Amino acid sequence: MYIPARKKPPQPVHLDDYRPPDHLVERVQLTVELHPRRTLVRSRIAFRRNPAGRGPGAPLTLYGADLELVSLHLDGAPVELAALEVDEEQVLLPGPLPERFELAAEVVICPEDNSALEGLYRSRGLYCTQCEAEGFRRITLYPDRPDVLAPFAVRLIADPEECPVLLSNGNPAGGGRLADGRHYADWHDPFPKPSYLFALVAGRLGRVEGRFRTASGRDVALHLYAAPRDLDKLDFALEALREAMAWDERVYGREYDLDVYMIAAVEDFNMGAMENKGLNLFNVQALLACPELTTDAGYRTIRAVVAHEYFHNWSGNRVTLRDWFQLSLKEGFTVFRESQFSADFGSPAVRRIEEVELLRERQFAEDEGPLAHPVRPRSYLEISNFYTLTVYEKGAEVVRMLHALLGPERFRAGCDLYFARHDGCAATVEDFLAAMEEASGRDLQQFLRWYDQAGTPRVAVNGRWDPEAGTYTLEFEQSCPPTPDGAPKFPLLIPVRLALIGRQGPVPLYGGGAEGAAEAVVALAERRQTVVFREVREPVVPSLFRGFSAPVRWHFPYGRDDLKFLMDADTDGFNRYEAWHRLALEILVEQVRARLDGRQVPLDERLEQAFARLLSAPPADRELLARMLKLPTEDALAEAFEPIPIHEIHEVRQGVARRIAERFRSHLLTCREAHRVAEPARPDPEQMGRRALANAALGYLTLLDDPECARLAHRQALEADNMTDVYAALGALVDSPSETCATLGREALEAFYRRWRDEPLAVDRWFEIQAAASPPGGVERVDALTRHEAFDARNPNRVRALLGTFAHRNHVNFHRRDGAGYRLLARWVLTLDAGNPQLAARLAVPLTRYRRLPPGLALQMRAALEQIAAAGPLSPDLYEVVHKALAEGAPESAREA
């Protein structure tokens, strides 16, 4: 009996319709006989009736997709397959059923043909799984939902030549040879887990080993697996794992619980990594590292992702989710924990800048588009579409606000209570907040709105100093624009971390909950709220939302001289950067508006004055200084306009950057030379800061039509011993308007490919650099690269490197006035949807944001979406993205056009 994957347009699933399962699972025994085209999966599952279910007459609800059901036995007696009720992926075994019973099933699946990379698939000779969110149903029949937890015992059987390594969750429990020459390995995971955390990996893999001693004195074996040729690229990840384990013990009191912790590297993987209990699966880009192939940003990502997946052992695995609507309960919480960890390595201010830049430029856009949803959605069509920046990044900001409101000690007490109370259970957002309320004594019912209300709040702030009374008054007003769900917007509980900056730095605060402290956290709870600070005896400039204390758009009427003052005087590293960012942004926006109006406005001299101060500043934090030397991105500038003048923004930003390069050429050359790293490359904070600063200077210099500067970049691209410098030089050359740079860039790209053509990590960077290049002809370059020998549409990393980079980072070419960029992406979305729906749906997202474009571009982007919708049956993943975007309707300006 074949059970197909769902093909019909999906139906909405609603949070309010949640119902406990009628049956729970006490234990699972799986035997998986691996074969490329005919893998046999035998399961024995012990069920018991759930007292919270519908009673003895309720059917057993199972799920299966794209599998052949060979046989089914209930307590040893065969079940007539014709008696099963099959509706799409749901399989019902009619009741009444015993209080306790065992169900045994045999199914056959074909890993070789599984191009969706969900469930069990075979990729480049390696068997691996991806079961979150609903992939386990592609392996066997099961109540595939996160609130059904059970311990698993697994036996893997395979040809020892094809699969010498056999891995699954938990602790090893034996192995050996069978009479037919195959071998087997047994694994036992004693901790109850939902099916989405099941994993297996089998194939030809090498192993790097380490050990970690827990705080209680247990020795844990650390095993990292990769292709034999990549074993020398695992050392950094192994050390990052040790750091994460020690950090989680120290900061959260969480110890690891199994005897072995395993990570396996997979080349074809839809996600960055997956936290399967005891056996993490990692995209190779998030695990393998060496200076020649990995940028400094790549090293930071690897450390963060290794920590993120390890932290899930408690925030996600030991305490999991009642339903998928609670996804941010594990992901947002864990991203916050990962952020805390990452801030301990390198520059905390730069880590925060990177997080906020992603939030502002991508998540805020999500909040304002047709796919807007709360951190905890109320409904969905396809759950895989809700692995979004809102759930992850905004969800992390919600937890960060909770940390700010409660303080570190009470937040930690709340976490301890949450983990203790719900260990081995499936929890909800309400459970998490209840633990925080009990530990802190604070009412958090208003705070719950952050999980259930969509949209990015706005906060308008005004301030005034009364020198006679010695007071400084801040007036706040919060609001939130409408979102597609049409839900009303209520006031949120918003923590505003602030200081008042005087001539000598922050002045003592008296008021707003602070008595003499240099900083206060004001809880903004009303639509309008006023805070008065006493004993303010000098003029001050407020430093607001320090460290970006809430995910909001906020405005204060700073003068440009105020922003220059904060750049120098603020003691918060993020807010020093914020002052520069706002100053540069305001001046650039002024230039774009003048261009749109056909006017010429002199460039405000304060921009170059501020840049000169940065160049002459002592580099106490080189990474932060490098960040501050960069002009606001095109995405940041776009937020000031409706509709977005894509091409004018690009031209103005590049023109101002070139002017800075001309004015400060000698200073930039000196900066590059002073901070260039001569010794062998290492991924340590000191070298990373120096490289960042030297390459920031090089990025300006290559904008000049200057053969000397072009040769500097060319030499760096060919001779540098590390990918950070090579990538920066190549990117600067190919993105330059200079013909000399363009010629040398082509030569350097050819040399790069000749050297690294057999290294997938490097080839991804090669595609990425070209996809992001802004000179004219970008659509044709990307189209040609899709036919290059190294482009493989079955590999998600390669698709993201080329097509994802083009759509997200190359605005001037993707949004070309003739719509060719949209048509190129739409064509590839349809091509990919036939084999990998998750990848296709995520790649389609840039096509959904047409409402903020000028009329001509908006019509062409919408036409590309309509082309996708009309192409025939779409996967449920892509159907939801496309139809939600089209349902919003064309903007009025586009209809008029």
Side-chain angles (χ1 to χ4, degrees):
M1 178 183 184
Y2 178 67
I3 301 173
R6 187 171 63 236
K7 297 295 184 184
K8 297 177 185 175
Q11 297 302 307
V13 180
H14 297 279
L15 172 60
D16 291 342
D17 293 339
Y18 172 81
R19 190 179 68 209
D22 294 312
H23 299 88
L24 302 174
V25 175
E26 294 185 321
R27 64 184 179 276
V28 179
Q29 291 178 280
L30 281 183
T31 300
V32 184
E33 299 186 29
L34 293 164
H35 184 276
R37 304 206 61 80
R38 194 168 175 82
T39 287
L40 177 65
V41 182
R42 296 194 300 273
S43 63
R44 300 177 69 88
I45 306 170
F47 286 94
R48 65 178 173 86
R49 192 179 304 145
N50 184 1
R54 291 175 294 174
L60 174 64
T61 303
L62 304 169
Y63 296 91
D66 198 20
L67 51 80
E68 179 186 344
L69 177 59
V70 178
S71 68
L72 193 65
H73 288 76
L74 178 66
D75 286 335
V79 174
E80 187 65 44
L81 299 187
L84 299 176
E85 299 177 21
V86 181
D87 181 18
E88 295 280 287
E89 295 178 356
Q90 189 177 84
V91 179
L92 299 180
L93 179 60
L97 295 165
E99 176 80 21
R100 279 181 161 79
F101 59 93
E102 183 179 88
L103 193 71
E106 287 193 8
V107 306
V108 172
I109 56 179
C110 181
E112 189 72 39
D113 289 347
N114 185 355
S115 61
L117 311 186
E118 297 178 76
L120 173 63
Y121 61 96
R122 186 169 182 264
S123 166
R124 304 172 202 271
L126 185 71
Y127 294 90
C128 49
T129 53
Q130 174 55 40
C131 292
E132 188 175 357
E134 296 176 340
F136 192 74
R137 64 189 60 183
R138 292 173 175 267
I139 297 175
T140 191
L141 286 183
Y142 195 77
D144 188 17
R145 45 188 288 172
D147 57 349
V148 176
L149 289 76
F152 276 62
V154 177
R155 169 167 288 190
L156 304 179
I157 301 172
D159 181 330
E161 292 297 317
E162 181 192 20
C163 298
V165 174
L166 301 171
L167 308 175
S168 192
N169 310 85
N171 295 319
R177 289 271 181 164
L178 300 175
D180 62 6
R182 293 181 298 170
H183 74 145
Y184 70 92
D186 292 336
W187 294 87
H188 179 236
D189 183 0
F191 293 95
K193 68 170 179 283
S195 54
Y196 81 84
L197 291 172
F198 171 78
L200 74 80
V201 175
R204 294 180 175 275
L205 294 169
R207 184 169 85 187
V208 167
E209 299 183 9
R211 300 199 73 79
F212 180 81
R213 175 159 289 185
T214 68
S216 64
R218 291 178 55 251
D219 281 330
V220 177
L222 310 179
H223 294 169
L224 275 63
Y225 292 86
R229 70 171 192 170
D230 291 325
L231 293 181
D232 60 343
K233 304 181 185 75
L234 290 172
D235 292 342
F236 183 81
L238 180 60
E239 185 56 32
L241 176 58
R242 289 194 187 100
E243 291 166 345
M245 296 176 83
W247 186 92
D248 210 22
E249 289 184 346
R250 184 174 68 253
V251 177
Y252 281 88
R254 300 294 110 195
E255 275 196 24
Y256 187 62
D257 43 19
L258 292 167
D259 298 334
V260 60
Y261 188 93
M262 299 174 287
I263 303 176
V266 179
E267 193 166 335
D268 296 316
F269 202 64
N270 276 339
M271 300 188 179
M274 179 62 207
E275 70 267 19
N276 316 296
K277 179 70 178 180
L279 174 57
N280 292 180
L281 268 65
F282 269 60
N283 190 314
V284 290
Q285 286 191 350
L287 192 69
L288 306 181
C290 65
E292 295 84 1
L293 297 174
T294 310
T295 64
D296 291 340
Y299 274 106
R300 289 193 293 269
T301 297
I302 289 167
R303 176 183 274 120
V305 176
V306 167
H308 179 102
E309 305 308 330
Y310 174 75
F311 296 155
H312 266 313
N313 188 58
W314 278 93
S315 50
N317 296 3
R318 288 284 289 265
V319 182
T320 192
L321 314 174
R322 188 196 72 174
D323 53 70
W324 288 117
F325 296 101
Q326 318 297 326
L327 181 58
S328 192
L329 182 59
K330 76 179 182 80
E331 294 301 346
F333 186 18
T334 304
V335 170
F336 172 68
R337 277 155 44 77
E338 165 210 316
S339 172
Q340 289 180 296
F341 169 80
S342 295
D344 287 347
F345 298 88
S347 169
V350 172
R351 299 293 81 74
R352 190 64 183 137
I353 290 165
E354 292 170 343
E355 293 161 358
V356 173
E357 190 173 89
L358 177 64
L359 196 77
R360 282 174 163 166
E361 296 181 2
R362 300 279 293 280
Q363 192 280 319
F364 284 8
E366 190 169 272
D367 259 350
E368 293 163 358
L371 306 181
H373 58 275
V375 172
R376 178 169 64 177
R378 303 300 299 181
S379 67
Y380 62 80
L381 296 180
E382 175 54 58
I383 185 55
S384 64
N385 287 334
F386 279 90
Y387 287 76
T388 62
L389 291 166
T390 299
V391 167
Y392 279 68
E393 307 305 326
K394 186 175 180 179
E397 295 302 312
V398 172
V399 179
R400 183 184 300 275
M401 288 189 290
L402 199 57
H403 184 274
L405 288 165
L406 302 186
E409 293 182 2
R410 289 188 295 177
F411 180 82
R412 166 65 191 273
C415 290
D416 288 347
L417 180 58
Y418 170 70
F419 288 133
R421 181 176 287 170
H422 300 288
D423 189 9
C425 301
T428 65
V429 166
E430 285 81 0
D431 294 328
F432 181 63
L433 291 182
M436 293 294 170
E437 284 185 323
E438 188 170 329
S440 68
R442 184 160 190 165
D443 184 345
L444 295 172
Q445 288 309 296
Q446 183 183 13
F447 190 82
L448 179 61
R449 292 175 184 166
W450 276 107
Y451 284 97
D452 292 333
Q453 187 164 293
T456 301
R458 268 69 164 162
V459 179
V461 192
N462 281 288
R464 64 180 183 275
W465 177 49
D466 185 336
E468 292 184 3
T471 59
Y472 191 90
T473 302
L474 284 170
E475 297 171 337
F476 298 89
E477 182 175 355
Q478 63 164 295
S479 61
C480 188
T483 48
D485 59 8
K489 305 302 180 187
F490 299 101
L492 297 167
L493 184 58
I494 301 174
V496 183
R497 191 184 299 275
L498 60 86
L500 300 179
I501 310 299
R503 291 185 300 273
Q504 304 301 317
V507 303
L509 299 179
Y510 297 92
E515 292 300 318
E519 184 179 78
V521 177
V522 172
L524 179 60
E526 307 297 331
R527 291 196 188 276
R528 294 180 181 84
Q529 196 163 321
T530 300
V531 181
V532 179
F533 295 97
R534 309 180 308 277
E535 300 185 33
V536 182
R537 304 300 180 188
E538 62 174 295
V540 293
V541 179
S543 172
L544 299 170
F545 290 94
R546 305 187 101 204
F548 201 69
S549 62
V552 302
R553 294 188 188 278
W554 62 273
H555 173 74
F556 182 87
Y558 289 115
R560 293 180 184 178
D561 288 333
D562 293 335
L563 294 171
K564 282 182 65 182
F565 171 73
L566 288 175
M567 280 179 61
D568 294 330
D570 205 328
T571 54
D572 183 277
F574 175 84
N575 274 33
R576 285 185 59 221
Y577 164 82
E578 179 84 336
W580 156 252
H581 179 82
R582 284 175 179 260
L583 175 65
L585 191 67
E586 188 175 314
I587 293 170
L588 288 172
V589 166
E590 179 180 66
Q591 292 291 310
V592 176
R593 293 196 191 285
R595 177 175 289 240
L596 290 170
D597 295 340
R599 296 180 291 113
Q600 283 199 344
V601 174
L603 186 69
D604 191 323
E605 62 184 9
R606 282 170 286 205
L607 181 70
E608 293 183 353
Q609 290 169 358
F611 196 86
R613 289 181 69 84
L614 289 172
L615 275 176
S616 62
D621 185 339
R622 289 187 179 91
E623 274 196 271
L624 178 57
L625 183 55
R627 273 279 172 173
M628 293 179 74
L629 283 176
K630 295 180 180 179
L631 292 175
T633 64
E634 293 178 18
D635 284 309
L637 287 162
E639 293 308 310
F641 295 92
E642 186 81 40
I644 302 169
I646 302 284
H647 299 273
E648 289 81 3
I649 285 174
H650 174 77
E651 291 159 5
V652 165
R653 185 181 183 277
Q654 191 172 70
V656 171
R658 192 181 305 117
R659 173 169 167 162
I660 287 173
E662 291 167 352
R663 165 85 185 273
F664 296 100
R665 180 184 183 278
S666 62
H667 298 81
L668 290 164
L669 285 167
T670 300
C671 177
R672 178 183 179 272
E673 188 59 32
H675 298 289
R676 224 159 39 90
V677 178
E679 58 266 28
R682 301 186 308 273
D684 61 48
E686 195 270 338
Q687 279 202 8
M688 286 179 170
R690 289 166 62 188
R691 279 191 289 270
L693 201 44
N695 287 324
L698 184 66
Y700 280 104
L701 291 167
T702 50
L703 294 174
L704 301 172
D705 191 9
D706 185 325
E708 179 188 352
C709 295
R711 286 193 294 272
L712 280 176
H714 184 249
R715 190 158 54 248
Q716 179 172 311
L718 296 179
E719 298 176 3
D721 69 345
N722 66 91
M723 183 59 77
T724 303
D725 284 343
V726 172
Y727 186 85
L730 271 177
L733 286 169
V734 302
D735 201 46
S736 171
S738 158
E739 187 54 44
T740 304
C741 283
T743 301
L744 294 177
R746 287 190 291 271
E747 291 177 10
L749 281 170
E750 291 171 5
F752 183 96
Y753 184 71
R754 285 195 302 271
R755 180 181 180 187
W756 297 113
R757 63 188 301 165
D758 296 325
E759 283 285 357
L761 295 176
V763 175
D764 286 339
R765 301 288 78 77
W766 185 78
F767 277 103
E768 195 175 271
I769 288 165
Q770 295 174 85
S774 64
V779 175
E780 289 73 21
R781 287 193 299 272
V782 170
D783 189 31
L785 285 167
T786 63
R787 296 186 292 276
H788 190 275
E789 63 176 4
F791 183 74
D792 181 359
R794 297 167 301 176
N795 178 253
N797 289 347
R798 197 58 45 84
V799 171
R800 286 188 286 257
L802 181 59
L803 296 169
T805 299
F806 174 65
H808 283 291
R809 287 172 46 192
N810 194 342
H811 300 309
V812 71
N813 279 296
F814 176 60
H815 296 283
R816 203 167 77 182
R817 290 186 171 91
D818 63 0
Y822 308 150
R823 292 191 293 276
L824 173 66
L825 188 65
R827 187 171 77 243
W828 274 100
V829 164
L830 284 170
T831 299
L832 292 164
D833 193 46
N836 191 330
Q838 283 188 17
L839 182 61
R842 289 171 186 150
L843 194 65
V845 169
L847 291 171
T848 66
R849 296 171 182 155
Y850 58 87
R851 290 185 63 83
R852 292 196 60 213
L853 297 177
L857 290 177
L859 284 172
Q860 294 192 80
M861 183 178 279
R862 185 177 170 89
L865 276 177
E866 290 169 341
Q867 171 194 340
I868 295 172
L874 304 178
S875 70
D877 309 66
L878 184 58
Y879 177 93
E880 179 173 27
V881 171
V882 170
H883 283 269
K884 278 188 174 179
L886 290 174
E888 195 180 26
E892 189 66 33
S893 59
R895 289 197 295 270
E896 290 172 359

